[in-house]
Amino acid sequence: MSLLVVGLSHRSAPVSVLERASLPTDARIKLLQDTLAAEPATEATVLATCNRIELYADVDKFHAGVAELSTLLAQHSGVGLEELTPYLYVHYEDRAVHHLFSVACGLDSMVVGEGQILGQIKDALALGQELHTAGRLINDLFQQALRVGKRAHSETGIDRAGQSLVTFGLEQLAAGEPVETWARDRKALVIGAGSMSSLAATTLARLGVRELVVANRTMERAERLAAVLSEGGVSARAVRMSDVPAELALADVAVSCTGATGLVLTAESVAAALAQHMVPGAAVPEDLRAPEGSLVARLAAVAARDGRVAELPGRHDDLAGLPGVPPAAADADAPVSAVEQGAESAATFGAADVAPGIEPAVADAAECPVGPDDSLAQHGAWVDNGSRAPREADRTVIAHGTGPVRLGLLDLAMPRDIDAAVHRLAGVRLVDIESLAEASADAPMAADVDQVRSIVSDEVAAFGAAQRAAHITPTVVALRTMAADVVAGEMARLEGRLTGLDEKQRAEITQTVRRVVDKLLHAPTVRVKQLAGEPGGAGYADALRTLFDLDPETVASVSRADLNDADVKNRGRV
């Protein structure tokens, strides 16, 4: 076994590099074909997810294999080799096995313990089998990885160490509120109908959303997913991708995970949806702007002029003497907070004067009161607060201190589906792969992780022993084949010299000779298989070939036959 893996993941590379290096299906196919065409590799498959791109191959030369696989990854990902190389990692033989088994158990995932990686490993093996690039080693390795991952999830509580990426993302959107409470009675838009989008839709349905809308490039797939969700008792329907802008304007939360190479939702499209964002069936809110010249209007003007609502230091002669303003407000040595002023004004003028939706009375309405040195987030807040209708207060949470969240966006695609600039829009909470990576880095590790690591170590040792034993099998088979040929030759020579033997006598002599040969070979072949399972055991196969002068071509032919049998046996088992 000379297993080599070259790859990059969220642990080694920034999201921006992973985005650019993502491999669509056609690129994976071409990568595998070119890998087998390269001299160092005899079999290969690729594991490509939103968080990792890894090329597994059986190579006969380590250094040449690393160079060739790295070059091929750069070539097919579109990221230059010089730029990609600092983010690549390399694992060889037992370390490569340990890496894949850890990945299968969720130990190397962005969210520890997530189980979706098992399906992605299964897909990687299926692709290698379909293209006939996965031979005995890759088949054995990935089949075992699937078994190890299932064992970890069934025998330990690794699931408690973290949730699926979808659930974790929704929890981030909920911002500390119980996700079941947060999701209840919301309208959700799911963009895409692949495995991740389907999981997101199923999760949202389980959490109790009011309505689910599925948008997909292929309408049939969207309708199929919507039908499945409807059977579960959820109000679900399918729409075309062209309907996404209209549906986004009505949605409370949107999840996107497509295979698109460009943005599905731009900042402009999200801003346009927010401009129309209304609670379905709600009446158009009345104009709650404070009367011009009132305290609230003048407070709003001061806040707009400063670009923020904060402590208002110094003397405010323009506020002195107004009803509801405490004397301290006019005292230069006693700063008055806007919060205190708002509380006093609410008591004096009533709740309507301080309700959301108030437009500041600015001298020049065409000029943004936020200065050029203020943040873009402040500018977005000014634009939003001056033009948006209020949402239901009991269905909102606070996002980054910019106001109530009216639209939650979860981007699970790689490359990203949603423009990262939407986080500057007030009323929007965006959770994407990058923010999930930052959030999960601080997540506590469960005690079960240690138990899973122990399982991985045991399974790696068992896999290595089995592979080393399997490596010597062709030599043992070739030795026994040679012994059988010797017996057959000697019996033919004996029959020529003892022509008077009947069938019973000839059979008895043949059986006796075979028993002698089997007894002579039994102890050394059994022992050599045992020794082969230990580190360095491959040397015993070389010793057998040398001691018995076995034909290398005979051993190779046995290996090829064994490889073909394994390919037939494993095909269709994933």
Side-chain angles (χ1 to χ4, degrees):
M1 176 184 67
S2 298
L3 179 67
L4 175 67
V5 55
V6 177
L8 67 160
S9 73
H10 65 100
R11 292 184 180 275
S12 68
V15 172
S16 58
V17 174
L18 281 173
E19 270 189 323
R20 294 168 53 208
S22 62
L23 294 172
T25 302
D26 55 347
R28 299 176 203 177
I29 293 173
K30 191 65 169 64
L31 171 60
L32 289 179
Q33 292 171 340
D34 290 352
T35 299
L36 254 65
E39 184 178 343
T42 58
E43 54 178 295
T45 196
V46 61
L47 176 59
T49 74
C50 57
N51 297 326
R52 71 182 65 252
I53 302 167
E54 297 175 344
L55 183 56
Y56 290 79
D58 186 4
V59 299
D60 54 9
K61 298 176 182 177
F62 172 74
H63 293 291
V66 171
E68 190 65 38
L69 267 58
S70 301
T71 301
L72 288 170
L73 273 176
Q75 175 185 335
H76 290 278
S77 68
V79 180
L81 182 59
E82 289 187 1
E83 182 181 358
L84 192 64
T85 298
Y87 304 115
L88 293 177
Y89 47 76
V90 175
H91 300 296
Y92 190 55
E93 294 189 332
D94 284 353
R95 290 301 307 169
V97 177
H98 189 282
H99 174 73
L100 180 59
F101 288 3
S102 296
V103 169
C105 293
L107 292 179
D108 198 60
S109 295
M110 184 178 294
V111 181
V112 174
E114 61 94 8
Q116 295 171 47
I117 188 63
L118 287 174
Q120 293 159 337
I121 291 174
K122 185 177 180 180
D123 291 342
L125 176 56
L127 180 63
Q129 291 177 342
E130 179 183 348
L131 299 175
H132 302 286
T133 62
R136 186 182 63 196
L137 176 59
I138 296 296
N139 268 294
D140 289 350
L141 175 68
F142 275 69
Q143 292 281 3
Q144 185 69 10
L146 290 171
R147 288 190 287 270
V148 173
K150 292 175 183 177
R151 180 188 169 193
H153 284 281
S154 64
E155 295 183 11
T156 75
I158 188 66
D159 293 332
R160 295 194 298 268
Q163 304 78 30
S164 72
L165 205 58
V166 171
T167 306
F168 190 62
L170 293 176
E171 288 182 350
Q172 295 303 302
L173 281 181
E177 184 179 4
V179 69
E180 295 83 0
T181 304
W182 170 83
R184 190 176 302 121
D185 200 37
R186 289 180 181 265
K187 178 176 179 178
L189 170 64
V190 176
I191 306 175
S195 58
M196 187 69 78
S197 297
S198 299
L199 178 60
T202 304
T203 303
L204 286 166
R206 176 175 52 80
L207 291 173
V209 294
R210 179 181 75 254
E211 182 183 3
L212 264 169
V213 178
V214 181
N216 192 56
R217 183 175 55 85
T218 305
M219 189 62 177
E220 291 75 13
R221 295 191 66 182
E223 291 174 339
R224 192 158 55 243
L225 177 56
V228 171
L229 294 169
S230 297
E231 290 174 0
V234 180
S235 174
R237 56 189 174 88
V239 300
R240 301 185 184 280
M241 288 295 289
S242 58
D243 296 324
V244 165
E247 296 295 340
L248 189 63
L250 299 173
D252 299 297
V253 58
V255 180
S256 186
C257 187
T258 73
T261 55
L263 293 174
V264 175
L265 296 178
T266 64
E268 291 77 11
S269 65
V270 174
L274 281 173
Q276 309 172 51
H277 209 191
M278 296 287 294
V279 177
V284 177
E286 60 179 305
D287 188 355
L288 298 178
R289 288 177 295 179
E292 186 174 354
S294 69
L295 171 63
V296 174
R298 294 173 68 179
L299 283 172
V302 173
R305 183 192 65 204
D306 293 343
R308 59 190 175 88
V309 177
E311 299 272 321
L312 302 178
R315 181 180 299 277
H316 301 288
D317 294 331
D318 54 343
L319 303 179
L322 286 175
V325 179
D331 187 352
D333 297 324
V336 181
S337 74
V339 174
E340 291 170 347
Q341 292 174 350
E344 292 289 343
S345 62
T348 304
F349 295 99
D353 284 339
V354 292
I358 295 172
E359 292 188 24
V362 185
D364 184 0
E367 180 181 358
C368 175
V370 181
D373 295 330
D374 292 303
S375 70
L376 289 173
Q378 290 174 338
H379 178 82
W382 177 81
V383 172
D384 187 84
N385 291 335
S387 61
R388 303 289 188 265
R391 295 297 306 273
E392 294 175 334
D394 61 346
R395 293 175 56 195
T396 58
V397 292
I398 302 302
H400 311 300
T402 60
V405 172
R406 290 177 287 156
L407 180 61
L409 299 174
L410 177 57
D411 186 358
L412 298 174
M414 185 65 70
R416 72 183 73 220
D417 278 348
I418 302 176
D419 191 347
V422 304
H423 81 276
R424 296 172 180 162
L425 299 174
V428 176
R429 179 185 294 279
L430 171 65
V431 173
D432 56 16
I433 294 295
E434 190 166 13
S435 59
L436 283 176
E438 293 172 357
S440 63
D442 297 327
M445 300 290 285
D448 301 273
V449 169
D450 289 336
Q451 187 178 352
V452 173
R453 286 175 176 158
S454 178
I455 289 175
V456 168
S457 297
D458 292 343
E459 292 284 356
V460 169
F463 182 82
Q467 288 297 309
R468 287 187 289 270
H471 180 75
I472 206 170
T473 297
T475 301
V476 173
V477 172
L479 175 59
R480 289 192 172 277
T481 301
M482 183 193 74
D485 291 342
V486 170
V487 170
E490 289 302 314
M491 286 305 302
R493 187 177 66 83
L494 184 62
E495 287 179 2
R497 296 176 59 184
L498 301 175
T499 56
L501 293 175
D502 57 27
E503 287 297 324
K504 183 178 180 180
Q505 292 171 329
R506 188 180 298 108
E508 185 63 32
I509 294 173
T510 301
Q511 185 64 25
T512 299
V513 175
R514 285 177 178 169
R515 279 199 299 267
V516 171
V517 171
D518 286 342
K519 287 184 177 181
L520 287 173
L521 292 180
H522 175 73
T525 53
V526 169
R527 184 59 179 149
V528 79
K529 286 183 178 180
Q530 293 172 343
L531 294 171
E534 300 176 0
Y540 292 100
D542 297 333
L544 275 182
R545 286 192 292 270
T546 301
L547 290 172
F548 289 91
D549 194 23
L550 297 176
D551 183 6
E553 182 56 34
T554 302
V555 176
S557 65
V558 174
S559 298
R560 285 193 295 271
D562 186 40
L563 178 61
N564 292 335
D565 288 343
D567 185 42
V568 172
K569 178 181 67 175
N570 287 308
R571 198 175 300 148
R573 287 177 56 190
V574 296

